[in-house]
Amino acid sequence: RPSHDVDFLVTHPTQDVKGVLLELVDCFLEDKRIVPKGEGFHQVSVGNMANGVAQFKKFKDTMSKTMDLLDKWFGLFLLPSTSTSTSTSTSTSRMMRVDVIVVPWDQWAFALVGWTGSRQFNRFLRGFAKDDLGMHLNSHCLIRQHDVKLVSKEE
């Protein structure tokens, strides 16, 4: 089943990405590139990102959950009009469902797989990590189940 949305993952190797999501959403709203809250689908989730890995390490019962704690925006992006009209009205514009996910650099690889891989592929990877390797994989990290420690880059 094909996806009908676009996922954008935003990160930076040296800069802190905390607060970036709200700045992006504000810029999009100011430029009238997204459908405002109240006029269509628009959901923002911020403030949990810094605790993502800590939450999964601290609470073993959350290991069964696959939802991440990254900062994210789900909404409708207004596509450029193909007509000569300069209207940005949501009633005449073409729209596309867009997800913007802000990811700390050290979690980039895990978020990339979790957000851009197919549902079936992600289920396979999580099952393989759990059943064959004794680890838990999510959009934040890879954790050894027996001691709840992060798997290092060298492993």
Side-chain angles (χ1 to χ4, degrees):
R1 184 173 147 194
S3 174
H4 299 286
D5 72 339
V6 177
D7 297 332
F8 290 98
L9 276 68
V10 179
T11 193
H12 195 278
T14 60
Q15 300 293 316
D16 184 11
V17 292
K18 185 176 181 178
V20 168
L21 182 68
L22 293 178
E23 290 180 36
L24 280 173
V25 171
D26 287 345
C27 287
F28 290 152
L29 283 170
E30 187 176 303
D31 291 344
K32 297 182 179 173
R33 300 307 308 154
I34 61 174
V35 176
K37 190 174 186 173
E39 291 184 30
F41 182 68
H42 181 102
Q43 179 182 353
V44 178
S45 174
V46 295
N48 297 317
M49 185 169 53
N51 299 324
V53 173
Q55 289 284 70
F56 286 106
K57 284 176 65 178
K58 185 175 179 182
F59 302 107
K60 288 184 181 184
D61 61 331
T62 62
M63 286 188 171
S64 63
K65 297 180 182 175
T66 58
M67 193 62 182
D68 62 49
L69 299 170
L70 299 170
D71 291 353
K72 49 196 159 287
W73 171 80
F74 306 129
L76 297 172
F77 199 85
L78 300 170
L79 299 172
S81 176
T82 55
S83 70
T84 56
S85 169
T86 59
S87 171
T88 57
S89 166
T90 59
S91 63
T92 60
S93 297
R94 293 181 327 150
M95 295 178 257
M96 175 169 269
R97 190 34 230 290
V98 173
D99 302 340
V100 177
I101 304 97
V102 178
V103 184
W105 182 254
D106 62 341
Q107 298 174 32
W108 171 253
F110 305 105
L112 184 64
V113 170
W115 279 92
T116 62
S118 70
R119 180 177 293 154
Q120 184 177 0
F121 179 68
N122 281 311
R123 284 180 180 161
F124 169 78
L125 280 182
R126 287 192 306 266
F128 178 75
K130 179 181 177 190
D131 299 336
D132 295 353
L133 303 176
M135 298 182 185
H136 175 75
L137 175 66
N138 60 39
S139 292
H140 292 278
C141 57
L142 183 62
I143 298 174
R144 291 191 306 251
Q145 289 183 356
H146 72 279
D147 60 2
V148 195
K149 294 208 185 253
L150 291 176
V151 175
S152 69
K153 293 177 185 177
E154 291 77 33
E155 288 183 73

